[in-house]
Amino acid sequence: MNVEIFGKTLWIHGIEGTVHGLTQWTETTTQTTNGTATHLGGGNYVINGPQVHTNTTHHQKFWVVSPGGRERQDIGNYPMRDGQTVRLVWVGLEGRQSTGYVLFHNLSTQAGWKTPVGLPSPIRQNGFGRLTRRYLLCILLLGGCAVATSQGPALAPPSTLCVVSILLAIALIPIGFMHLYQMFRRNEQTALLAIEQAVLSNPAFLQSLSA
């Protein structure tokens, strides 16, 4: 099944079946910082000993076996156990391979999750180029207006315009990154909702997942 999102064609595929071979493990990384000694004067010191920071990451691997005999192994830290029925849906750009699943539904517990990591980058970053060009044009226009206003009727040298544009760019960079992040998240939500609606509104496709 295909669906069009942001003018791009995505193919949708998946599997529905029973969980087998559920495996869980953790990885722990440790980072140690050096101690410090600060001289306060008069023979007094403040000593901070080395600090140890640990980070534990949980992993989960499982197989999904459909009633028709298809199998798929995947990873994901979702509540499940062997024997439960789950549904996995993954997508990819037309003519390309999938980057991972985007929908996970535990049919036994009726709990579901959307996973934006499995979306192709062109979908998640849709509109980035257009927004970047708008910011660049805005910087040039504002820089030109600022220089023209300060110089009066005389033409400003190119170096002045360059300096003003750089200062404006520095001021607008944080705003631009925030705008890009908001667009990134909005693209993810729009794409995941469109995929979920396309899947749930197609009974024939849902039935094919168990084949």
Side-chain angles (χ1 to χ4, degrees):
M1 181 175 70
N2 293 339
V3 62
E4 186 171 304
I5 301 176
F6 303 138
K8 302 175 179 65
T9 301
L10 289 176
W11 55 261
I12 304 176
H13 197 31
I15 186 172
E16 181 177 314
T18 306
V19 177
H20 291 276
L22 182 63
T23 305
Q24 299 174 330
W25 74 98
T26 59
E27 290 181 347
T28 302
T29 57
T30 303
Q31 186 178 24
T32 304
T33 60
N34 295 326
T36 60
T38 305
H39 185 211
L40 301 179
N44 297 318
Y45 291 84
V46 174
I47 299 177
N48 296 314
Q51 294 183 342
V52 179
H53 303 276
T54 60
N55 180 54
T56 301
T57 304
H58 298 271
H59 300 278
Q60 189 168 254
K61 183 184 295 184
F62 55 94
W63 285 90
V64 180
V65 182
S66 73
R70 288 193 300 129
E71 298 181 349
R72 177 181 173 93
Q73 187 183 46
D74 226 314
I75 58 175
N77 294 325
Y78 300 106
M80 72 180 91
R81 61 178 176 80
D82 283 334
Q84 290 185 330
T85 301
V86 300
R87 177 191 299 148
L88 284 176
V89 173
W90 55 92
V91 300
L93 287 173
E94 190 175 25
R96 301 184 188 179
Q97 293 184 343
S98 169
T99 53
Y101 62 88
V102 294
L103 300 178
F104 177 90
H105 190 189
N106 188 327
L107 299 174
S108 298
T109 62
Q110 292 302 310
W113 295 266
K114 300 181 182 70
T115 308
V117 177
L119 290 170
S121 295
I123 296 297
R124 305 172 79 187
Q125 299 173 3
N126 179 67
F128 274 27
R130 183 171 61 253
L131 181 61
T132 302
R133 289 191 294 271
R134 287 180 180 176
Y135 268 90
L136 291 176
L137 180 60
C138 179
I139 289 171
L140 292 176
L141 289 177
L142 289 176
C145 291
V147 172
T149 302
S150 62
Q151 295 291 330
L155 292 177
S159 59
T160 303
L161 178 59
C162 181
V163 170
V164 173
S165 298
I166 291 174
L167 293 175
L168 285 171
I170 293 174
L172 289 176
I173 281 175
I175 300 175
F177 273 113
M178 186 179 300
H179 199 170
L180 284 174
Y181 177 78
Q182 292 174 346
M183 176 179 285
F184 188 77
R185 292 305 182 193
R186 187 166 57 248
N187 288 344
E188 289 180 339
Q189 294 173 1
T190 301
L192 289 173
L193 182 60
I195 293 169
E196 185 178 45
Q197 290 177 343
V199 170
L200 296 180
S201 63
N202 191 328
F205 175 76
L206 288 174
Q207 187 175 3
S208 70
L209 298 182
S210 300

